[in-house]
Amino acid sequence: MQLENKKHCSCIIGYACINETLARTKPKSQAICVNRGMIKKTFEQRGLPYAGQLALQNLYDLEKIVRWNYAHGIRLYRMSSDMFPWASEYKIEQLPNASKIIDQLNKVGQLVKEYQQRLTFHPGQFNVLVSLSDRVVQNTIKELEFHAAVMDYMQLPQTAYAKINIHLGGAYGDKVASMKRFCKNFMLLSESVRSRLTVENDDKRSMYTVQDLYTGIYQEIQIPIVFDYLHYLCNPGPLSEREAFLLAYNTWPKDIEPIFHVSESKKILEPHAPLHAHADYITKCVDTYSKKVALMLEAKAKELAVQKYQELCC
DNA sequence: CATGGTCAAGTGGCA
DNA sequence: TGCCACTTGACCATG
């Protein structure tokens, strides 16, 4: 069974945000980091000039991570949503050092293209396109547009190849009505966001299964579904893993390899940890049911987990 | 320079 | 009712 898996395992394996090896560069002042930020008080005191400074430093380090990934054969990487501190409060063009930032985005984008890498985003839990509050929906739109603008400056494709993946974020006791709101609010987004947006199945029982997303989202607006193996385990719905996997797989355009999420529960090693807590490494190869998919590992050991998974499964 | 308290945002689950 | 966990710990005041 393990061997069977090995044969079909895709070797496009990626990780999210932090590169542990580079983050541990000594001395600490030279640690490579893409999520320099600040607390509210500091933002109020120092404003856009400091936000721009931090963002530019984050982008210089993004370039280092992209180069490191190339040198180590890693072709999938999720960018941090914290590269731009307080991004909801401004547009890139309003930063005093915008031209430097745009040049750097362009440079990293060219590099990514040359290296044939795939970069994605996964905006945070505050993005709730289904919210009942108009303020929350408006903030979500702003945030998603910011992510898309960053990708546009990098000249990444306006397709799910450069996906911006989100959860629906709320059910309010009525998933069907909530999904209708998602589809309605989806139309308020620019083409730059719409063309990249994907949705992911949830781990909570009251939230969205692959089946829910297929009928409520995909059949309405045809955006791809990201299948998360651990979330499926926590909240499978009526389908077997194979059925859920294939249903999600079929929502992707034929010329774009789906990206699916893999993590292992910490519960395996620490019985008291909650089921959805992520472990450091992935120790079992997932079944990709004879399909080619790219796997985004959500493991605390980051790029080290990628290398370990590749040895084990590819 | 090391440490620990604290940190924007939304939602659901749990004590 | 108030904390915790999410896609990732990091900032910063204090000693």
Side-chain angles (χ1 to χ4, degrees), chain A residues 58-91:
Chain A
N58 288 335
L59 293 175
Y60 287 142
D61 284 358
L62 174 65
E63 180 186 337
K64 290 178 193 151
I65 289 179
V66 164
R67 290 185 186 279
W68 190 96
N69 288 345
Y70 178 68
H72 294 81
I74 295 179
R75 293 174 51 198
L76 174 64
Y77 172 72
R78 179 193 299 164
M79 293 186 281
S80 170
S81 287
D82 291 337
M83 291 196 302
F84 288 82
W86 294 90
S88 54
E89 303 301 313
Y90 55 85
K91 290 192 192 308

Side-chain angles (χ1 to χ4, degrees), chain A residues 49-202:
Chain A
Y50 190 50
Q53 250 179 35
L54 292 177
L56 189 57
Q57 289 180 64
N58 288 335
L59 293 175
Y60 287 142
D61 284 358
L62 174 65
E63 180 186 337
K64 290 178 193 151
I65 289 179
V66 164
R67 290 185 186 279
W68 190 96
N69 288 345
Y70 178 68
H72 294 81
I74 295 179
R75 293 174 51 198
L76 174 64
Y77 172 72
R78 179 193 299 164
M79 293 186 281
S80 170
S81 287
D82 291 337
M83 291 196 302
F84 288 82
W86 294 90
S88 54
E89 303 301 313
Y90 55 85
K91 290 192 192 308
I92 293 177
E93 301 77 27
Q94 291 174 296
L95 294 169
N97 59 347
S99 68
K100 275 190 179 163
I101 284 179
I102 290 167
D103 285 349
Q104 180 62 12
L105 284 172
N106 211 285
K107 183 176 176 190
V108 179
Q110 291 307 312
L111 219 49
V112 162
K113 193 172 176 184
E114 188 189 322
Y115 292 163
Q116 298 183 47
Q117 292 180 359
R118 189 167 176 185
L119 299 195
T120 69
F121 269 130
H122 194 345
Q125 63 271 36
F126 310 109
N127 293 275
V128 186
L129 207 51
V130 302
S131 178
L132 294 161
S133 149
D134 187 55
R135 179 182 55 83
V136 172
V137 172
Q138 289 308 320
N139 288 344
T140 301
I141 291 171
K142 211 167 166 185
E143 184 94 359
L144 293 176
E145 295 293 347
F146 195 100
H147 282 83
V150 170
M151 286 182 152
D152 285 345
Y153 277 126
M154 298 178 81
Q155 299 175 54
L156 303 183
Q158 287 195 348
T159 68
Y161 186 82
K163 76 180 161 68
I164 299 176
N165 178 54
I166 58 173
H167 290 266
L168 269 60
Y172 314 93
D174 188 345
K175 288 194 273 193
V176 172
S178 297
M179 287 192 290
K180 283 208 174 98
R181 274 198 308 283
F182 186 97
C183 297
K184 188 171 131 255
N185 293 335
F186 177 78
M187 297 308 167
L188 302 173
L189 298 163
S190 71
E191 176 63 20
S192 175
V193 177
R194 288 204 310 260
S195 57
R196 295 182 173 118
L197 201 66
T198 62
V199 288
E200 178 179 344
N201 61 309
D202 287 295

Side-chain angles (χ1 to χ4, degrees), chain A residues 228-243:
Chain A
D228 184 307
Y229 286 88
L230 181 60
H231 294 172
Y232 167 82
L233 207 64
C234 301
N235 179 29
L239 303 179
S240 68
E241 184 187 277
R242 179 197 189 89
E243 289 166 338

Side-chain angles (χ1 to χ4, degrees), chain A residues 237-271:
Chain A
L239 303 179
S240 68
E241 184 187 277
R242 179 197 189 89
E243 289 166 338
F245 175 99
L246 292 174
L247 197 60
Y249 181 87
N250 285 323
T251 63
W252 286 75
K254 296 295 163 248
D255 57 340
I256 298 177
E257 209 169 290
I259 298 177
F260 287 173
H261 292 179
V262 180
S263 55
E264 259 171 33
S265 175
K266 219 180 175 114
K267 209 175 183 64
I268 299 175
L269 286 172
E270 297 173 27

